[in-house]
Amino acid sequence: MMGTFVCKQMNRTFSGEGVETNALSDVTLTFKSGDFISIIGPSGSGKSTLLSLLGTLDVPSSGELYYNNQLLNKLKAKELADFRFEKVGFIFQQFHLIPTLTAVENVMSPLFGRKIDYNPKERALALLNRVGLSDKIDALPSQLSGGQQQRVAVARALIHEPEWMLADEPTGNLDSETGEVIFELLRELNREKGCGVICVTHDPGIAERAEVQVRMKDGEIIEVIDTRVTIHA
């Protein structure tokens, strides 16, 4: 069963040098299973902080985060790691590929040390083919363009067939044409597999093509637009 995230009055405060910064303030929002969602706002608005909390890479300072009625911010580190492996795929702006591993090895890397019931290399090769890199399976990251590295990162995020894809500025370091390819890969994943997508972006053109658009400012949700809702006069 695909899952739904529910945030209840979530806050995230960072402290340093005697100063407290409220990166996220009283966020209450539901991210429904299978939705394609964009989060947009200026730098420092809390977009990436919210994404990190949803992906359990960070924990809220206060408030609650649920996934299918399971309270995530009370889980132990091992339970959170299992949750991320089973439910969530990540795509980062900086790719975060391992420089000493080939493309196919990078795609397989989330499975290292995990007990699985399928052939990891076969699945990795199929995913690289899906993202158009079947001729680059043995290439190191340094031998790939930025767009090719991001495609490897997309394939890596898909290797364990997550219920949600969390993408933090996935097209931010790419030219517009390559960025469009990455966006369409996410759209295809959402439509064909039912995988929920949450995409943090500065690009209004990308944000406006999402079914649900979440606008943030100063750590707060200021507007949520669901394009599927028709308002009749």
Side-chain angles (χ1 to χ4, degrees):
M1 179 179 65
M2 296 295 184
T4 292
F5 285 104
V6 177
C7 311
K8 293 186 177 181
Q9 296 182 308
M10 282 203 322
N11 294 274
R12 184 65 175 101
T13 302
F14 295 98
S15 302
E17 300 180 357
V19 178
E20 283 197 349
T21 303
N22 294 320
L24 214 63
S25 300
D26 253 359
V27 169
T28 296
L29 196 61
T30 297
F31 296 88
K32 294 180 181 178
S33 169
D35 276 355
F36 194 109
I37 301 157
S38 65
I39 303 178
I40 193 168
S43 295
S45 60
K47 305 185 302 297
S48 295
T49 298
L50 177 55
L51 202 70
S52 293
L53 293 174
L54 291 172
T56 70
L57 297 175
D58 192 13
V59 293
S61 303
S62 63
E64 298 169 334
L65 174 63
Y66 293 88
Y67 189 82
N68 283 353
N69 299 317
Q70 180 181 32
L71 182 59
L72 296 182
N73 46 310
K74 296 298 182 183
L75 297 182
K76 297 178 181 178
K78 173 64 166 60
E79 294 171 318
L80 288 173
D82 288 342
F83 170 80
R84 286 190 293 272
F85 178 75
E86 293 167 5
K87 307 296 184 184
V88 181
F90 295 94
I91 306 173
F92 303 98
Q93 182 177 359
Q94 301 297 334
F95 317 139
H96 293 306
L97 300 181
I98 300 171
T100 55
L101 298 184
T102 64
V104 68
E105 290 168 340
N106 264 289
V107 174
M108 290 191 294
S109 62
L111 305 179
F112 295 166
R114 289 277 178 178
K115 291 182 179 180
I116 52 177
D117 58 1
Y118 51 86
N119 186 308
K121 188 166 186 178
E122 284 184 6
R123 182 173 290 188
L125 290 172
L127 286 168
L128 285 171
N129 181 61
R130 183 176 180 183
V131 299
L133 290 178
S134 56
D135 59 336
K136 300 290 185 181
I137 60 174
D138 294 321
L140 295 171
S142 61
Q143 298 169 317
L144 300 172
S145 68
Q148 289 170 334
Q149 290 185 56
Q150 190 61 298
R151 292 192 208 188
V152 173
V154 171
R156 178 184 60 190
L158 292 173
I159 189 72
H160 55 294
E161 297 185 343
E163 296 181 3
W164 281 93
M165 184 68 73
L166 307 185
D168 194 357
E169 297 283 1
T171 64
N173 281 334
L174 307 175
D175 62 80
S176 58
E177 183 177 348
T178 307
E180 181 66 19
V181 170
I182 297 300
F183 179 84
E184 284 303 322
L185 281 170
L186 294 175
R187 174 63 79 189
E188 178 185 324
L189 170 69
N190 174 253
R191 288 174 174 167
E192 294 185 3
K193 300 291 187 179
C195 178
V197 176
I198 302 176
C199 183
V200 163
T201 181
H202 278 99
D203 186 340
I206 287 179
E208 290 168 3
R209 292 158 68 188
E211 296 166 342
V212 181
Q213 300 156 27
V214 178
R215 299 184 183 276
M216 298 189 68
K217 184 179 180 181
D218 299 329
E220 298 181 351
I221 306 294
I222 60 172
E223 186 177 26
V224 178
I225 301 170
D226 190 331
T227 62
R228 297 163 299 184
V229 176
T230 303
I231 300 176
H232 298 282

